[in-house]
Amino acid sequence: MKFEQSLSKSISYLSAFSLSLILACTGAQAQSLNIPIETSSNALVLHTDASNHLGTIYFGKKLANAAEYGQIPGTYKQAGDYTGQLNSAYTTSGSRNLLEPAITVTHADGNNSLDLRYVSHTTTKVDDNVSLTSIILKDPVYDFTVTLYYKTFAKEDVVEQWSVIKHKEIGIVNLKKYASANLYLKSSEGFWLNQYHGDWAKEMQPEESKVTHGIKTIDTKLGTRANLFMPSVFMVSIDKPATEDEGTVLYGALEYSGNFKTDIELDYQNNLKIISGINNYASEYSLKPNEEFTTPAFLYTLSTTGKGTASRKLQSWARTYRLLDGKGSRLTLLNNWESTYFDFNESKLAELLKDTKKLGVDLFLLDDGWFANKYPRNGDGAGLGDWAENKTKLPNGISSLVKEAESNGVKFGIWIEPEMVNPKSELYEKHPDWVVKENKREEYYFRNQLVLDLSNPKVQDFVFGVVDNLFTKNPALAYIKWDCNAVIYNAYSSYLKNQNHFYIEYMRGLYKVLEKIRAKYPTVPMMLCSGGGGRVDYAALKYFTEFWPSDNTEPLERIFIQWEYSYFYPAISSSNHVTDWGKQPIKFRTDVAMMGKLGFDIVVSKLNENDLKYVQNAIKNYNALKPIIWQGDQYRLASPREGSVASILYLNEAKTNGVIFNYLVNNRYDEGSKYPIRLKGLDPTKKYTLTEINLMPGSNSSINGSKSYSGNFLMTVGFNPEVNSGRTSVVLQIDEIK
Ligand code: DGJ
């Protein structure tokens, strides 16, 4: 089973480290035990009470002396706690608890109650930075256990938490809710939730509000393209809304690409419970005796010094531990989607391959429309699923294009959407039973297409085959854009016996396919696209090198979208393309796209000489700066939501070199950077110069001169990039003077 893979991986890793057990306790000997789950700055302290119930007594800044966790007030059951145990580390239902549970089950005998008591725990060190704590909880009446796992990444202050559910009852136990994590926070001042919503071309719209009593649910039921309307990432500020550099804030994200659900409940005693996991919507899971149900991990990081620290740590975690090839390189590219849409042929593409070289990027990416013959893919209404080259458009096939790219000195990449099918396709005609649909009901389409049933192993093989065939026939193929443009309507699998398992088995199927692709093609770059950012999460990013944040590439809009994604995902993972959306000049568009992984989707031949020269030079600058943009620390200096200028700094680890992107985001009269913007993260004792780069050919910068500044000066007084209506985009390189 897929969700078990990460666990079994950690376990085999642990055995390789000869299980350096640093702590092991059993409930029989140890009553009222404290279990601190620590990272370099924080501690989550769990506690067993006299009846061996496990609760959270503390989550915050780590204490110097762990023995003092025992002195934290409220260690035991709170006065007036009528509902069992408010601070339960994994809230059960059907007995004393009357608030939102983390787990709800119906036992094999039909009984609905569950009580979980601490049995034992172990903490093992995976390496100098990573530890794994597992805590076994068991029902005293039923042979039913839940093991809570906490994987900590000390330096990054990141925790991944998941649970493994198992029983040895006689018969099936139905899991009605099965959360990954159940956090519990305390504050005398209250909590603020920063959540996101969106739609196509409007991804990552933030909304912050004070949490009121009751439950706020962040969830999706879309199946695939699950984050389209609501991504699973969120922030909770404690005591007051956190700012970039101040306040305590928790970032949370479920590592799951399907239906998720996070319940945020402020209880009657003003404590906050966060319960996150797979959405149990239409997904009651029938668990056989001895079968293990492993939930996806819930990822969180806590910062007591504002959002900036949290995002830098999360980005660093992602690059080191999660994103495929997070520390590696990426290919700049020219994509043809917006320049041709479905209307291309070999000669048009030959020109685009030349343009790729002329521009100075690494790869040409052929988008949608290259396949299907009986129902040619000349629009989005037909052909999806029929992955053979269209003979009219490409009589010599993909392989000739790959060769042509090679002879132009560039690489070749290709678009696929292998999980989907148009009803007007040979695939649908041949395998109607491979399609997710209610046979008794009318079909509903999203972008004229339906979803293939990935719970079916034959479909898994087919989807794997789409990728495998492309690579087998074209070993030099260097990039895949994997799209996913539909949600799941009429969720029904002709393959599955138990429809309640459909949403879960779909995701297991998807991860199985991706796992198989990565076993055979471990590092080939793949972009995670879902008509935009409809599918970005840290389970998927294990298999993908980058994601497509939005089809909205209007650069002003894009500043806001990229800004919000940057709280959770590193710049190296964000595919930013320069297109013709909007009215901004080429410089503005290119500068904005340079803030992540740069690409282009423009008609190069339509650029005037000056614009072309500008772009070619900007790409050279980008190639020099990309190690900092991809691997450096990101400091948000001025928010586009708070003033008329957005400013963001990328700084290398040694604090010797960086780049600052500044934009005018409000074009009303007399707006701009009136005052210096304070820099962050520099070494106060170092001396720096600031140089404006990415200038239009023939223009000079009013800023460039021979002045130098101490880090102290730049962080205290600041520097004015002189952004105004005549200078709407200003890119500054910052370098230490040795
Ligand atoms: C949606 C993607 O977001 C676009 O970039 C493009 O690849 C189209 N699909 C192609 O159908």
Side-chain angles (χ1 to χ4, degrees):
M1 275 198 296
K2 169 61 201 89
F3 305 138
E4 277 91 85
Q5 275 162 353
S6 66
L7 172 65
S8 60
K9 249 194 192 154
S10 343
I11 288 173
S12 54
Y13 194 28
L14 292 175
S15 33
F17 271 82
S18 67
L19 282 172
S20 61
L21 204 63
I22 60 168
L23 184 61
C25 284
T26 61
Q29 303 125 20
Q31 290 209 336
S32 301
L33 195 73
N34 280 338
I35 309 171
I37 315 277
E38 291 182 317
T39 57
S40 63
S41 317
N42 305 319
L44 167 70
V45 184
L46 303 172
H47 174 85
T48 60
D49 65 15
S51 51
N52 273 336
H53 284 115
L54 186 73
T56 305
I57 55 162
Y58 181 75
F59 188 20
K61 225 175 184 170
K62 178 164 149 180
L63 298 183
N65 179 3
E68 288 189 319
Y69 292 128
Q71 295 175 31
I72 290 171
T75 296
Y76 299 104
K77 194 165 90 67
Q78 296 177 358
D81 184 347
Y82 306 108
T83 56
Q85 191 196 11
L86 288 177
N87 71 339
S88 172
Y90 201 69
T91 313
T92 56
S93 55
S95 48
R96 276 192 64 198
N97 171 58
L98 303 176
L99 298 181
E100 186 61 29
I103 183 163
T104 304
V105 307
T106 299
H107 293 283
D109 65 2
N111 186 290
N112 286 330
S113 70
L114 185 66
D115 182 12
L116 292 171
R117 311 279 179 115
Y118 169 86
V119 176
S120 65
H121 78 282
T122 60
T123 299
T124 48
K125 233 171 141 39
V126 176
D127 61 28
D128 284 348
N129 195 44
V130 184
S131 294
L132 184 69
T133 295
S134 61
I135 306 173
I136 300 175
L137 309 173
K138 188 176 175 307
D139 190 308
V141 176
Y142 288 91
D143 201 344
F144 185 98
T145 57
V146 175
T147 308
L148 305 179
Y149 286 88
Y150 300 80
K151 189 170 186 184
T152 56
F153 300 83
K155 195 170 140 229
E156 295 80 11
D157 284 319
V158 163
V159 182
E160 280 183 294
Q161 190 185 331
W162 68 94
S163 51
V164 176
I165 303 166
K166 195 177 168 178
H167 72 89
K168 291 185 183 160
E169 297 181 24
I170 301 162
I172 299 286
V173 172
N174 283 314
L175 305 182
K176 297 183 166 172
K177 192 168 182 198
Y178 30 83
S180 302
N182 177 167
L183 297 184
Y184 175 81
L185 304 171
K186 282 185 149 310
S187 163
S188 50
E189 310 297 323
F191 303 91
W192 279 258
L193 170 67
N194 187 54
Q195 61 179 104
Y196 293 90
H197 68 102
D199 195 349
W200 177 78
K202 285 189 211 139
E203 287 83 350
M204 291 299 273
Q205 307 291 322
E207 268 176 333
E208 187 166 54
S209 51
K210 187 163 187 195
V211 182
T212 53
H213 290 89
I215 303 179
K216 171 84 197 180
T217 299
I218 297 174
D219 79 335
T220 178
K221 302 178 185 78
L222 304 182
T224 47
R225 208 178 175 178
N227 291 335
L228 179 61
F229 304 136
M230 187 165 271
S232 70
V233 293
F234 65 91
M235 302 173 188
V236 168
S237 294
I238 302 164
D239 296 338
K240 60 177 185 193
T243 62
E244 204 54 39
D245 303 302
E246 281 178 357
T248 301
V249 61
L250 174 94
Y251 283 25
L254 191 72
E255 297 179 10
Y256 194 56
S257 313
N259 291 347
F260 62 81
K261 183 176 187 201
T262 300
D263 290 313
I264 296 169
E265 180 170 25
L266 188 66
D267 70 29
Y268 65 96
Q269 294 203 354
N270 305 321
N271 312 302
L272 196 76
K273 205 154 64 160
I274 300 174
I275 296 180
S276 186
I278 294 179
N279 198 337
N280 52 353
Y281 162 74
S283 295
E284 184 168 317
Y285 192 87
S286 308
L287 190 69
K288 294 187 209 103
N290 287 314
E291 180 188 348
E292 285 191 345
F293 183 90
T294 303
T295 71
F298 177 64
L299 174 77
Y300 49 97
T301 182
L302 182 81
S303 156
T304 54
T305 51
K307 295 177 183 175
T309 310
S311 70
R312 281 185 291 280
K313 293 209 168 178
L314 195 52
Q315 291 187 6
S316 163
W317 172 83
R319 287 188 301 254
T320 315
Y321 296 104
R322 181 49 45 90
L323 178 69
L324 189 84
D325 205 17
K327 296 275 190 189
S329 191
R330 296 292 185 273
L331 300 165
T332 53
L333 58 84
L334 176 67
N335 189 191
N336 71 312
W337 176 240
E338 302 206 355
S339 59
T340 66
Y341 293 104
F342 297 94
D343 179 20
F344 55 82
N345 55 27
E346 281 180 353
S347 64
K348 243 192 202 178
L349 294 180
E351 288 309 308
L352 293 178
L353 286 169
K354 287 195 190 98
D355 288 345
T356 309
K357 183 68 186 166
K358 190 165 160 196
L359 210 52
V361 289
D362 305 316
L363 174 133
F364 174 74
L365 169 61
L366 176 60
D367 216 285
D368 197 353
W370 58 267
F371 49 89
N373 289 294
K374 181 171 177 190
Y375 303 105
R377 181 77 173 164
N378 292 328
D380 62 16
L384 205 52
D386 299 346
W387 298 104
E389 290 101 327
N390 177 278
K391 293 205 173 86
T392 315
K393 289 183 197 173
L394 306 177
N396 296 300
I398 297 295
S399 56
S400 85
L401 294 172
V402 177
K403 276 189 207 120
E404 177 100 13
E406 257 172 359
S407 64
N408 278 287
V410 294
K411 294 180 192 262
F412 191 86
I414 203 156
W415 176 99
I416 51 172
E417 194 179 1
E419 291 158 84
M420 303 283 163
V421 63
N422 280 130
K424 231 176 154 188
S425 69
E426 290 185 78
L427 182 69
Y428 186 97
E429 284 174 352
K430 271 189 222 144
H431 298 288
D433 56 322
W434 283 12
V435 178
V436 177
K437 61 189 174 93
E438 284 279 1
N439 291 324
K440 294 182 208 136
R441 295 183 195 279
E442 182 191 345
E443 290 180 3
Y444 288 110
Y445 308 122
F446 198 108
R447 207 197 186 205
N448 309 310
Q449 64 196 54
L450 290 163
V451 179
L452 292 176
D453 178 10
L454 268 174
S455 70
N456 182 340
K458 285 193 183 138
V459 177
Q460 292 163 20
D461 290 346
F462 169 80
V463 174
F464 171 76
V466 173
V467 178
D468 195 33
N469 287 342
L470 280 167
F471 283 123
T472 311
K473 287 192 197 146
N474 309 290
L477 192 68
Y479 187 93
I480 296 268
K481 175 178 178 182
W482 181 305
D483 213 341
C484 167
N485 285 294
V487 300
I488 297 179
Y489 295 124
N490 282 334
Y492 181 88
S493 158
S494 306
Y495 170 77
L496 286 178
K497 287 201 180 68
N498 184 347
Q499 296 302 319
N500 288 340
H501 289 197
F502 169 72
Y503 287 115
I504 290 175
E505 292 300 343
Y506 184 95
M507 280 304 139
R508 286 177 174 166
L510 174 66
Y511 294 145
K512 257 188 214 160
V513 171
L514 291 167
E515 202 66 45
K516 207 166 152 191
I517 290 171
R518 283 320 185 183
K520 194 157 174 193
Y521 308 103
T523 52
V524 59
M526 286 210 307
M527 183 210 278
L528 172 65
C529 178
S530 188
R535 199 186 226 184
V536 192
D537 69 81
Y538 274 121
L541 287 177
K542 192 174 157 195
Y543 308 101
F544 291 86
T545 48
E546 54 214 79
F547 69 92
W548 180 235
S550 177
D551 273 357
N552 188 341
T553 44
E554 196 289 314
L556 263 180
E557 296 277 340
R558 193 75 177 198
I559 290 171
F560 288 83
I561 293 173
Q562 289 175 194
W563 186 274
E564 295 303 329
Y565 272 121
S566 80
Y567 284 112
F568 301 93
Y569 301 101
I572 189 171
S573 66
S574 175
S575 292
N576 304 335
H577 292 183
V578 178
T579 71
D580 287 328
W581 278 50
K583 295 191 176 113
Q584 299 292 336
I586 191 77
K587 170 172 162 53
F588 195 102
R589 287 181 273 150
T590 309
D591 292 353
V592 171
M594 272 176 65
M595 295 197 291
K597 207 227 82 175
L598 178 65
F600 292 82
D601 199 343
I602 49 170
V603 184
V604 177
S605 58
K606 281 196 190 152
L607 291 176
N608 67 36
E609 203 184 322
N610 230 24
D611 284 0
L612 178 64
K613 264 195 200 151
Y614 164 79
V615 173
Q616 289 167 329
N617 179 51
I619 293 168
K620 284 190 190 124
N621 289 339
Y622 181 76
N623 285 336
L625 288 168
K626 64 192 184 187
I628 299 172
I629 296 171
W630 293 349
Q631 299 297 336
D633 279 324
Q634 223 177 43
Y635 293 88
R636 293 178 207 86
L637 306 179
S639 166
R641 289 204 156 73
E642 283 161 20
S644 61
V645 174
S647 178
I648 193 158
L649 161 67
Y650 297 66
L651 189 64
N652 70 352
E653 206 184 341
K655 299 180 185 296
T656 54
N657 303 89
V659 54
I660 313 168
F661 295 92
N662 307 276
Y663 306 98
L664 186 69
V665 290
N666 177 351
N667 224 343
R668 295 191 67 187
Y669 176 71
D670 202 25
E671 291 294 343
S673 58
K674 304 262 168 47
Y675 308 102
I677 294 173
R678 286 194 194 105
L679 274 57
K680 295 174 188 171
L682 301 177
D683 179 340
T685 64
K686 285 193 188 342
K687 284 249 170 198
Y688 298 95
T689 54
L690 286 141
T691 315
E692 183 172 356
I693 58 163
N694 279 15
L695 291 164
M696 285 306 286
S699 66
N700 293 317
S701 171
S702 48
I703 285 171
N704 289 348
S706 53
K707 272 194 199 148
S708 70
Y709 308 85
S710 69
N712 176 34
F713 179 92
L714 291 169
M715 292 193 290
T716 313
V717 177
F719 183 86
N720 191 338
E722 293 179 18
V723 172
N724 55 50
S725 57
R727 291 165 51 78
T728 54
S729 165
V730 177
V731 182
L732 300 171
Q733 200 173 304
I734 173 162
D735 300 295
E736 184 195 7
I737 314 173
K738 293 259 161 69

